[in-house]
Amino acid sequence: MIEVQGVRAGYGDGPDILNGINLVADAGKIVTILGPNGCGKSTLLKCIAGFVRPRAGDVRMSGTAVTNLKAHEKVRSHGVGFVPQTDNVFSSMSVTENIMLGARFVARAEREQRFEALLTQYPALAAKRNRKASALSGGERQLLSLARALIAKPRILLLDEPSAGLSPRMMHEVFEAISEIRAREGICILMVEQNAFEALHISDTAYVLSLGDVAMQGRASDLLADPAMRSLYLGGDAPH
Amino acid sequence: MFQFVVDVALRACDLMLIAVGMSAVYSLMKFPNIALAQYAAMGAFLAIVLQRAGLPLVPSSIVAVLIVGVVAVLLNRVLFERMLAIGSSTAMIGSLAVSMVISAIFLVIIGPSPARFNLEITRPLRVLGARITEHQVLSLGITAAAISVFAILLFKTDLGRCMRATATNNLLADATGIDTRKTKTAVVAISACLAALGGIIITMKGEVNIQTGLDLLLPVFSAAILGGLGNPLGAVGGAIVIAMAETLITNVNFGPILGQDLVFLPAAYATAGSFVILVLTLLWRPRGLFISEVKRV
């Protein structure tokens, strides 16, 4: 579904942050990008989403080259849903307005139906549908951001550190929601995460970046069991 | 007393549409476009020229408003977008320079003499003891209608929702499939059209000259800041407060205080009222009288 081939990227006149990354993410799978701060995880996600234009290499979605498309064009033409790490809601707008903004490319007849289905799925949002998004907790904002992306029936969902700043309980709820989305929608989910252990538990495959290169890659279960991975990113022995 | 209300409403009318336009542009572009005050004068001059060419007032006003909208979009694409890429202060200074250039162009083409519409002079109406002309009533009606249409656009249409989303969070708007550049272009055009209409309304009640744009700048800027830059409907309230202050300064009889029958401040002091309010707002309510993060457009 997503193919990244030899992508090099950076900001302004600065050095390359990504040094020729290759990555594949298939439909119906959760693929996680892991790595320490500054390794280029978010830059890679922004390249795929269309916020950063690669200096070299290709990004393809469902076989079509989308390297130079802008973010809003990818949303419309390739069904990309993007959930940023911070500032992930329109704070001055209501919960309903936030979700419905994502439904602009959905047929009118279907909008209400999908909206109600999402509120049933996320009761925390249903109770606050007329509140301003600024009044929501961090976890509720993350769910709202997911709902806004999901109402558009995305074929690809890009998540930038969905657990950032959340309490352990809320983090667990968000990862559960992501897992349910894969099971229900069967879409391709590409996620950047710092919480390697939790992320690997719901992922199918993972890529570990280091200084702009892919240092490790493979099935999530294999990486969870990998001694090098454990000592570098999982804080020693992983709990079972 | 009712005359005071009428005078405040008429002055607020002069400032409101331009202040709303300035605030709307700021909310999306993140710089106060000073040239908007000149777009008001440009609209008035163009409408006068078209009327002199034989078009009736309404069509000439509509054509003038549309031309100003197109000019604003072109200036935005050619100049302001590039300046904004450098920084918002660069764009603001650039808009001041553009404003001066437009003023110089008026001087060359139209000359220093004031220009007026060719309108029939009518006897003022008496409403609750206050005097108001038909053209003034018309200007109040047009302003109220324009603000209502703008509010409906902002809160009830897809474009309005895209405008508010882009103003709140540009990156997220892009990630939601909104073409933020197109949305900003639409706001630039709408704001310029509002300013041009504002200029035409001012001229319906009097005249326009090459200084009109610069004279409007301070009170309009004060109204926009008072309403909270980036909160277009707050600018409506800001314009009313500025109009009230200006009208008070020029309408209050200081005679009894000074032991004389009649002592009024000259009309030129009205601008000082805007200045004082601007300074006080910047000191105590730098984000405006009505604004909170939640209300920001």
Side-chain angles (χ1 to χ4, degrees):
Chain A
M1 195 55 141
I2 302 174
E3 285 171 85
V4 174
Q5 291 169 343
V7 161
R8 305 177 75 89
Y11 298 95
D13 298 329
D16 283 351
I17 291 172
L18 302 176
N19 304 317
I21 298 279
N22 296 311
L23 175 150
V24 176
D26 290 321
K29 306 282 185 199
I30 297 179
V31 177
T32 298
I33 304 167
L34 301 166
N37 282 335
C39 69
K41 304 186 296 286
S42 289
T43 305
L44 176 57
L45 201 69
K46 284 175 185 165
C47 276
I48 295 167
F51 292 108
V52 173
R53 185 171 285 194
R55 291 172 178 166
D58 276 325
V59 178
R60 303 178 84 83
M61 287 175 179
S62 308
T64 310
V66 295
T67 316
N68 294 320
L69 286 188
K70 290 174 183 159
H72 70 89
E73 293 170 328
K74 287 181 183 172
V75 172
R76 197 165 193 163
S77 59
H78 288 83
V80 174
F82 180 73
V83 178
Q85 181 185 348
T86 51
D87 290 335
N88 51 11
V89 296
F90 297 106
S91 53
S92 66
M93 302 171 94
S94 70
V95 167
T96 301
E97 281 183 308
N98 263 274
I99 298 174
M100 290 310 256
L101 260 177
R104 291 171 59 247
F105 308 123
V106 177
R108 278 182 189 278
E110 239 183 295
R111 282 182 200 174
E112 279 301 319
Q113 204 183 337
R114 283 192 69 81
F115 175 72
E116 291 303 330
L118 281 165
L119 289 189
T120 310
Q121 228 166 293
Y122 303 124
L125 299 180
K128 296 179 177 176
R129 62 165 72 187
N130 295 320
R131 295 255 190 98
K132 296 274 186 201
S134 56
L136 302 184
S137 68
E140 288 167 342
R141 284 178 189 220
Q142 198 59 260
L143 292 179
L144 176 57
S145 194
L146 277 174
R148 194 204 61 250
L150 288 176
I151 199 168
K153 295 195 288 184
R155 297 192 291 279
I156 293 168
L157 191 57
L158 307 176
L159 308 173
D160 193 358
E161 301 210 21
S163 73
L166 299 184
S167 66
R169 193 178 66 84
M170 211 55 232
M171 184 171 75
H172 181 72
E173 263 183 51
V174 167
F175 278 126
E176 206 167 280
I178 295 167
S179 213
E180 278 170 18
I181 292 166
R182 172 190 44 191
R184 197 179 51 246
E185 312 272 343
I187 60 177
C188 167
I189 300 175
L190 183 62
M191 170 169 72
V192 161
E193 249 308 322
Q194 286 275 13
N195 289 298
F197 183 72
E198 289 270 1
L200 285 173
H201 260 95
I202 64 161
S203 299
D204 297 286
T205 54
Y207 290 77
V208 182
L209 300 194
S210 176
L211 297 173
D213 290 302
V214 175
M216 299 170 86
Q217 69 181 81
R219 291 197 313 176
S221 52
D222 292 345
L223 288 173
L224 267 171
D226 188 303
M229 179 72 191
R230 277 197 210 171
S231 78
L232 284 172
Y233 301 109
L234 299 172
D237 283 342
H240 294 284
Chain B
M1 180 60 194
F2 193 63
Q3 186 64 56
F4 175 75
V5 174
V6 169
D7 290 346
V8 168
L10 290 171
R11 181 57 182 156
C13 247
D14 290 349
L15 310 176
M16 205 174 275
L17 294 180
I18 312 165
V20 167
M22 187 176 278
S23 210
V25 165
Y26 184 86
S27 71
L28 272 87
M29 309 291 286
K30 308 301 177 203
F31 86 99
N33 189 345
I34 288 169
L36 266 162
Q38 288 295 5
Y39 295 165
M42 192 190 291
F45 278 129
L46 279 171
I48 289 171
V49 168
L50 290 167
Q51 196 197 27
R52 285 178 185 167
L55 267 183
L57 177 63
V58 173
S60 59
S61 298
I62 293 170
V63 173
V65 163
L66 294 177
I67 291 174
V68 173
V70 172
V71 170
V73 169
L74 290 176
L75 281 173
N76 190 57
R77 284 279 160 104
V78 175
L79 296 177
F80 298 134
E81 279 187 352
R82 291 172 194 199
M83 291 174 185
L84 261 176
I86 301 167
S88 53
S89 48
T90 306
M92 190 181 88
I93 293 165
S95 71
L96 179 63
V98 168
S99 190
M100 297 299 180
V101 171
I102 293 173
S103 190
I105 292 170
F106 291 156
L107 182 63
V108 170
I109 296 176
I110 295 152
S113 305
R116 299 168 180 272
F117 283 117
N118 184 13
L119 292 172
E120 202 180 317
I121 296 168
T122 56
R123 185 182 289 275
L125 309 167
R126 282 238 168 234
V127 183
L128 299 172
R131 284 152 53 95
I132 184 167
T133 67
E134 280 178 25
H135 298 137
Q136 288 172 333
V137 172
L138 191 60
S139 71
L140 288 173
I142 293 171
T143 304
I147 294 294
S148 305
V149 169
F150 181 73
I152 290 167
L153 173 88
L154 202 54
F155 292 102
K156 298 288 178 195
T157 67
D158 187 50
L159 175 62
R161 279 185 279 273
C162 291
M163 281 161 58
R164 290 190 292 138
T166 306
T168 308
N169 190 333
N170 192 78
L171 183 137
L172 188 60
D174 222 348
T176 310
I178 295 170
D179 186 339
T180 51
R181 192 177 183 216
K182 261 191 194 167
T183 306
K184 286 174 185 175
T185 302
V187 169
V188 166
I190 291 166
S191 302
C193 289
L194 283 174
L197 185 59
I200 290 168
I201 285 169
I202 292 170
T203 312
M204 273 172 59
K205 296 179 286 183
E207 59 188 30
V208 61
N209 60 52
I210 57 162
Q211 276 295 319
T212 301
L214 295 176
D215 291 345
L216 281 169
L217 186 57
L218 183 63
V220 162
F221 206 51
S222 305
I225 287 179
L226 198 60
L229 263 178
N231 178 8
L233 296 184
V236 173
I240 292 170
V241 174
I242 293 291
M244 215 181 278
E246 289 189 357
T247 312
L248 262 179
I249 285 174
T250 50
N251 281 22
V252 170
N253 178 11
F254 292 95
I257 302 169
L258 301 170
Q260 294 176 36
D261 285 343
L262 294 171
V263 177
F264 288 96
L265 286 174
Y269 280 78
T271 317
S274 309
F275 230 135
V276 170
I277 290 179
L278 178 62
V279 169
L280 293 178
T281 308
L282 289 174
L283 278 176
W284 282 300
R285 296 280 298 183
R287 294 175 64 204
L289 286 184
F290 317 103
I291 208 159
S292 66
E293 191 58 41
V294 171
K295 284 179 183 167
R296 197 174 272 260
V297 170

